[in-house]
Structure formats: structure tokens, C-alpha cells
Amino acid sequence: MLFRSKDLYRRDFTINALAVRLNGKGFGDVLDFYGGQRDLNDKVVRVLHGLSFVEDPTRVFRAIRFETRFGFHLGKDTVALIAGAVKMNLFQRLSGHRLLEELKLLLSEHEPKQAVRRLADLDLLQFIHPKLKWSDRLEAILGVIEQAVDWYRLLYLDRKIEVWLVYVMGFLEVLPGRAVTDVLKRFPFSEAEVRTLKAARTGCQGVIRRLTGKSTLKPSETYRLLSGLSDETLLGLMAKSKGDSVKRQVSAFLTTYQHGKPILTGADLKAMGLKPGPKFKEILDRLLDARLNGEVKTETEERAIVYRLANLPA
């Protein structure tokens, strides 16, 4: 019994320090040494002892995850201990790797905006970067991201995206350039993640200008602009845009344009006497554009384009 009590004492919170007896007399009895059942009933997230956050500061992020996921609230003593941990600067001592892993989990929850607001209430955003603060702008960006992610999840039940990465884009959007550089250095993002974050922060401004320009883009032009961008970057674009134009075009790309393809294939072009090369690719691209723009509907119409571009006898 003593061994089990000490083992459970190493858990993060009272609500996950419960155990069930699986052997001997009393099989099935609940072992509750720290009031976990009471806290479950009261919907409270409470640490087991006063040195909990000193031992492991990342417990704070798990506490916030549990609080927002289950609709619980932090106990008063736990909130006071978090404030003490902030004053002791415990979180600054965490490696970028450990902090990033906790942020990934927190930002992958169903309603990350609420969790981020809680981080701000507890003065914890500063440990991502000192200039990251809760503001109307950050709230608005995170709200749009939440809507875009929910829309994406409903649209693509079988596709997986790194939701946390889209929310980090939201953080970087409200930070000055030097702070963005600091964040990218502090946290061990992969090379692909860094490229995605940089593209969302600065590299996509030209794309947004094109999508919101006065002239209406053809579907093929929208396709050429957006193809090659990750789905995370596309959702970031939707969040950055103020009007509905970008959202409509990104939506059209994801749902329709990216799935478009000509009837004729490279094998068909070879059968027509064409040899692979620059002209070969040019013709395939033109066929795709024609298909996306609704200029052709049949194989015969596509062949007519090939004959014309390749100077072949019809």
C-alpha cells in the first residue's frame, strides 16, 4: 500500500492519481490517497504538492490542457503555485524542445484559443516570447484559424494536418520580425516547418495580393498560385486575409482545383507522336488550364488543343 501511494504521488494531478486494486481481497476497490474523486466531482485540476511545478514546470501546460479539454478549473492553490513558478522564472529554464512538445499538444486540442487565453491570463505567453501578449488582434487571428481548422476537419476526415503549426503561424503574425527570428531559433522546428512558418509570415504576401487584386483570377491562375503550398500554409492564408476573396479561392482550390486533371495523359501524347521535353510539359499544363477554366469538356476538345499546339495534322 505504501509503495502504491508513493508511486501515485509522482503523478501530475489528483485526478490522475487514482488507482484500482486488481488483486487480492478488495479487488476493484478504488485507491484514492489525494482526493482525486472529490476533485473530479468538483471539476478541479489540482497538483498533489507544493513543489510540483518546481519538479516539472511542464505540468503547468498539462494542467491548462486538462482544464480546457474537460471544462474544469484550476484550484486556487494550483493557480498560486503557477504564479510562484512564473516569478521564479522556471519556464525560461525549459529547453526549447520540451516547451515545444508541450505547445504542440496544447495547440492540437479542440479549442486551442481558449487554452492560449489561459496562458495569457497566467502570464505564460512571455515564455514563448516576451513580446507575445494577448490582444484583440491575436484573439481575432486565432478565432479565424479555429474556424478554418474546423472547416478543414469536416471537409477532409481522412487527411491529417499539423494543427499546432497553423496556430504558431498566428503567434508569428502578431510578432515583429526580430521576435519571429528569435522564436524560430529558440524552438527546434524541422526544416520543413521553418519553411512553412516563414512562408506564412512573409513569403505569401505576394500570393495574398494576387488573390485580392482587382482583376478576377481564372481557376487555373489560382491553381498555379496555390499549388505546392502545404495545407497548413493555405489555412494560414485564410486566417491572414481580411476579406472573403482569399477564403473563397483557397476553398475552391482545396475542394476542386487541386483535383482537376486532363483526360489525356503523357502516354496519350506519346501515342500521338510527341516526345517528352519542354514542349511536352507545356502542352500538359495547357490541357490542365483548359480543364480548370472550363474551356474543354471532352477528350476530342483536348486533342484539338494538342494538335494546335504541336502543329500536328488533325
Side-chain angles (χ1 to χ4, degrees), residues 198-246:
K198 286 183 176 180
R201 179 66 170 81
T202 57
C204 289
Q205 294 298 338
V207 175
I208 291 177
R209 284 195 295 271
R210 286 289 308 279
L211 292 175
T212 55
K214 294 182 179 179
S215 59
T216 302
L217 295 179
K218 295 178 180 179
S220 62
E221 293 173 318
T222 299
Y223 172 85
R224 300 296 175 192
L225 272 176
L226 302 181
S227 62
L229 298 179
S230 68
D231 286 4
E232 290 86 357
T233 303
L234 294 174
L235 293 182
L237 280 175
M238 295 176 75
K240 288 181 68 167
S241 59
K242 296 180 180 179
D244 292 329
S245 175
V246 172

Side-chain angles (χ1 to χ4, degrees), residues 137-157:
R137 186 182 176 203
L138 179 59
E139 182 177 19
I141 289 174
L142 296 183
V144 176
I145 288 176
E146 197 169 88
Q147 293 173 9
V149 168
D150 287 344
W151 168 82
Y152 184 94
R153 282 171 167 164
L154 287 173
L155 185 66
Y156 294 113
L157 298 176

Side-chain angles (χ1 to χ4, degrees), residues 7 33 43 67 76 87 275:
D7 179 56
F33 301 107
K43 296 186 175 182
E67 182 186 45
K76 290 182 179 179
K87 289 182 180 179
K275 295 181 179 180

Side-chain angles (χ1 to χ4, degrees), residues 117-310:
R117 179 58 188 263
R118 193 64 165 129
L119 288 175
D121 292 341
L122 296 169
D123 202 21
L124 292 165
L125 288 182
Q126 63 174 303
F127 299 107
I128 299 174
H129 193 277
K131 290 189 178 295
L132 183 60
K133 302 180 186 302
W134 189 259
S135 64
D136 290 343
R137 186 182 176 203
L138 179 59
E139 182 177 19
I141 289 174
L142 296 183
V144 176
I145 288 176
E146 197 169 88
Q147 293 173 9
V149 168
D150 287 344
W151 168 82
Y152 184 94
R153 282 171 167 164
L154 287 173
L155 185 66
Y156 294 113
L157 298 176
D158 58 339
R159 281 167 66 167
K160 182 180 182 298
I161 60 168
E162 300 294 347
V163 171
W164 66 270
L165 192 61
V166 186
Y167 280 93
V168 173
M169 292 177 191
F171 292 163
L172 299 188
E173 187 63 22
V174 300
L175 289 174
R178 180 61 181 270
V180 171
T181 301
D182 293 341
V183 170
L184 294 179
K185 286 182 179 179
R186 169 158 166 69
F187 296 103
F189 299 110
S190 69
E191 291 184 7
E193 290 163 357
V194 169
R195 286 195 300 270
T196 297
L197 291 171
K198 286 183 176 180
R201 179 66 170 81
T202 57
C204 289
Q205 294 298 338
V207 175
I208 291 177
R209 284 195 295 271
R210 286 289 308 279
L211 292 175
T212 55
K214 294 182 179 179
S215 59
T216 302
L217 295 179
K218 295 178 180 179
S220 62
E221 293 173 318
T222 299
Y223 172 85
R224 300 296 175 192
L225 272 176
L226 302 181
S227 62
L229 298 179
S230 68
D231 286 4
E232 290 86 357
T233 303
L234 294 174
L235 293 182
L237 280 175
M238 295 176 75
K240 288 181 68 167
S241 59
K242 296 180 180 179
D244 292 329
S245 175
V246 172
K247 296 182 181 67
R248 285 197 306 270
Q249 293 179 82
V250 170
S251 175
F253 172 80
L254 284 171
T255 57
T256 305
Y257 301 162
Q258 70 171 341
H259 304 297
K261 59 181 181 180
I263 296 173
L264 296 178
T265 65
D268 294 317
L269 298 190
K270 289 179 183 179
M272 296 172 70
L274 295 176
K275 295 181 179 180
K279 190 67 174 180
F280 197 88
K281 183 180 183 306
E282 178 187 329
I283 291 174
L284 286 174
D285 287 344
R286 179 66 186 92
L287 289 177
L288 176 57
D289 290 349
R291 174 65 59 177
L292 291 172
N293 295 334
E295 299 169 13
V296 296
K297 290 183 170 52
T298 67
E299 181 179 338
T300 300
E301 291 172 330
E302 288 190 9
R303 286 183 177 274
I305 290 177
V306 175
Y307 292 140
R308 185 175 70 253
L309 293 177

